[in-house]
């Protein structure tokens, strides 16, 4: 049980300032885990160079030359954090029993790895790292991030609160994950869909020790929007609900304007115009909502997500 090959997958975009220090700290961590027989001595750190424009890839190759505990893959161009992470996970699962993903800046506490491995040994297939507090984040980052999780929930997306992409996944989860063919990735929302036994571990999020955030506000907003639109047909449902309400209101307006007309308190043509505006827009909104429902169906079909994943098959074990 204690001989799991662990791969730590670390996406890197222009991270020349942090790589050396990150390598030093991860090396110490892995060495300790190997010494305590929690992981196999074949365990490695896999850096994913996400089309960096600085010396990141050169540094990764140097590190790999000096120490085979560190390895790397390089993408043909910058594809963004989520794609880089997926590339790393899918590559690493060919060599590993269990994979942990984390950022290059070590904002996520690497000492939590012990606890993650312990939970994995206890039968968990996914362990989510969850930030226990955001003391080190700016007020703005904290509020926007928390608002984001709440909004996601409201939109019907199953996300683990305050969990980013620091997570442990077993090989069999990643094998199942391969069947999720969607192109717009929002990994932290996709893993809960896979299922299997999961748990969370809590940690304090630290400050970036060097370099700058590669997630400016614009990227963050895009990411959040992607998260919602890739997971939820709620926005479409909202249109449909609006359409139903509009339609009901239009009927009420119809009655109202007829009453006013009969009481003789209108000018010529008023009734006709008011009724037309309300009825036509009510019908339009309702139709949009219905069309939207079908688009929603088309959209979930095109994602070709697996319809089920078999976790255990007793017949295989005989
Ligand atoms: N990253 C990446 N590709 C990108 C942007 C970022 O691989 O296009 C990596 C980056 O190198 C880091 C991780 O994604 O390892 C998270 O980025 P960052 O720490 O800048 O985000 P923040 O912690 O500020 O949200
Ligand atoms: Mg960071």
């Amino acid at each position: 049980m204690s001989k799991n090959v662990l791969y730590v997958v670390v996406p890197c975009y222009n991270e020349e300032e942090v790589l050396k220090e990150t390598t030093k700290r991860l090396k110490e961590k892995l060495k300790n885990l190997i010494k305590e027989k929690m992981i196999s001595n074949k365990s490695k750190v896999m850096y994913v160079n996400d089309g960096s424009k600085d010396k990141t890839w050169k540094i990764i190759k140097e590190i790999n030359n000096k120490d085979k505990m560190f390895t790397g893959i390089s993408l043909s161009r910058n594809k963004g954090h989520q794609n880089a992470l997926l590339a790393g996970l899918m590559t690493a699962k060919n060599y590993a029993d269990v994979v942990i993903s984390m950022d290059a800046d070590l904002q996520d506490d690497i000492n939590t790895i012990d606890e993650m491995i312990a939970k994995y040994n206890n039968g968990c297939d996914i362990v989510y790292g969850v930030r226990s507090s955001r003391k080190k984040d700016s007020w703005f980052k904290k509020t926007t991030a928390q608002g984001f999780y709440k909004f996601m929930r409201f939109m019907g997306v199953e996300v683990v609160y305050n969990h980013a992409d620091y997570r442990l996944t077993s090989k069999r989860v990643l094998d199942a994950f391969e069947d999720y063919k969607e192109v717009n990735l929002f990994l932290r929302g996709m893993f809960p869909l896979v299922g299997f036994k999961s748990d969370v571990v809590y940690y304090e999020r630290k400050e970036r020790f060097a370099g700058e955030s590669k997630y400016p506000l614009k990227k963050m907003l895009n990411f959040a929007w992607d998260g919602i639109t890739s997971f939820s047909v709620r926005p479409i449902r909202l249109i449909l609900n609006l359409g139903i309400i509009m339609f009901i209101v239009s009927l009420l307006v119809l009655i109202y304007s007829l009453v006013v007309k009969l009481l003789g308190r209108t000018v010529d043509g008023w009734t006709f115009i008011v009724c037309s505006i309300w009825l036509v827009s009510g019908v339009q909104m309702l139709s949009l909502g219905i069309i939207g429902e079908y688009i929603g169906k088309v959209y979930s079909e095109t994602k070709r997500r697996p319809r089920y994943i078999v976790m255990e098959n007793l017949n295989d074990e005989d």
Side-chain angles (χ1 to χ4, degrees):
M1 199 65 189
S2 58
K3 281 292 168 191
N4 306 309
V5 179
L6 167 73
Y7 266 54
V8 179
V9 169
V10 184
C12 307
Y13 177 58
N14 297 345
E15 297 286 11
E16 58 181 12
E17 283 162 282
V18 307
L19 268 175
K20 292 245 163 74
E21 179 66 20
T22 299
T23 301
K24 205 178 99 204
R25 294 195 203 170
L26 281 176
K27 187 182 166 97
E28 212 168 299
K29 185 83 231 165
L30 286 201
K31 261 170 55 189
N32 271 332
L33 287 168
I34 291 170
K35 210 164 74 198
E36 285 164 26
K37 299 217 169 4
M38 289 188 48
I39 56 173
S40 142
N41 59 7
K42 292 199 185 66
S43 299
K44 287 188 188 194
V45 173
M46 178 174 270
Y47 290 120
V48 182
N49 172 36
D50 183 17
S52 299
K53 294 180 180 63
D54 63 2
K55 293 203 213 70
T56 298
W57 183 233
K58 196 166 152 262
I59 297 174
I60 294 174
K61 282 195 285 192
E62 276 167 19
I63 295 171
N64 167 257
N65 260 336
K66 267 190 254 149
D67 187 345
K68 292 300 169 201
M69 188 187 266
F70 293 85
T71 178
I73 59 174
S74 186
L75 303 189
S76 58
R77 51 160 291 181
N78 180 251
K79 279 300 205 171
H81 175 225
Q82 297 288 296
N83 289 308
L85 192 51
L86 182 71
L89 292 175
M90 287 304 137
T91 312
K93 85 178 170 65
N94 299 325
Y95 311 98
D97 301 311
V98 54
V99 180
I100 292 178
S101 54
M102 62 164 65
D103 293 349
D105 52 17
L106 299 191
Q107 285 186 284
D108 308 312
D109 188 1
I110 60 170
N111 293 319
T112 318
I113 293 181
D114 302 59
E115 218 181 312
M116 285 181 161
I117 300 278
K119 297 222 161 162
Y120 169 73
N121 285 336
N122 272 335
C124 282
D125 278 283
I126 307 182
V127 184
Y128 299 102
V130 171
R131 297 163 194 176
S132 55
S133 75
R134 289 175 172 269
K135 278 184 220 135
K136 298 278 161 53
D137 277 344
S138 67
W139 177 86
F140 180 74
K141 177 115 190 173
K142 193 156 68 188
T143 330
T144 48
Q146 280 171 351
F148 169 65
Y149 286 103
K150 296 213 173 102
F151 189 61
M152 291 292 285
R153 288 264 175 95
F154 170 71
M155 281 296 169
V157 187
E158 202 184 322
V159 279
V160 178
Y161 194 70
N162 265 344
H163 161 69
D165 281 305
Y166 184 26
R167 105 176 61 75
L168 173 148
T169 39
S170 69
K171 180 177 163 56
R172 65 174 181 169
V173 165
L174 294 173
D175 281 338
F177 201 72
E178 216 163 20
D179 288 333
Y180 288 75
K181 301 285 187 204
E182 58 212 78
V183 177
N184 295 298
L185 289 179
F186 187 71
L187 294 174
R188 66 189 73 166
M190 288 164 73
F191 279 101
L193 297 179
V194 181
F196 292 95
K197 190 165 183 250
S198 67
D199 205 344
V200 296
V201 293
Y202 295 93
Y203 67 93
E204 290 265 336
R205 183 160 160 97
K206 301 194 190 106
E207 266 168 285
R208 209 178 224 278
F209 64 80
E212 279 169 3
S213 172
K214 273 74 191 174
Y215 259 104
L217 185 64
K218 190 166 156 255
K219 259 198 202 172
M220 235 164 68
L221 289 177
N222 275 340
F223 186 50
W225 185 238
D226 241 6
I228 294 160
T229 51
S230 302
F231 276 84
S232 164
V233 286
R234 258 256 170 99
I236 294 180
R237 286 274 148 77
L238 292 179
I239 297 179
L240 185 60
N241 292 345
L242 201 65
I244 295 170
I245 294 170
M246 282 273 288
F247 189 67
I248 294 171
V249 172
S250 77
L251 293 181
L252 295 178
V253 171
L254 196 77
I255 296 168
Y256 168 75
S257 46
L258 283 178
V259 171
V260 179
K261 166 93 183 161
L262 290 177
L263 292 176
R265 279 200 245 131
T266 57
V267 289
D268 271 354
W270 178 84
T271 317
F272 181 69
I273 288 176
V274 167
C275 290
S276 319
I277 291 175
W278 277 91
L279 253 181
V280 169
S281 6
V283 168
Q284 251 173 13
M285 192 61 105
L286 193 63
S287 321
L288 262 184
I290 292 171
I291 293 173
E293 277 295 304
Y294 284 92
I295 293 181
K297 292 271 162 10
V298 171
Y299 149 90
S300 37
E301 291 290 343
T302 48
K303 276 203 288 254
R304 305 205 139 265
R305 283 182 182 163
R307 277 161 292 187
Y308 56 81
I309 293 160
V310 177
M311 184 155 86
E312 275 166 278
N313 178 351
L314 293 180
N315 209 26
D316 274 350
E317 286 161 23
D318 295 338

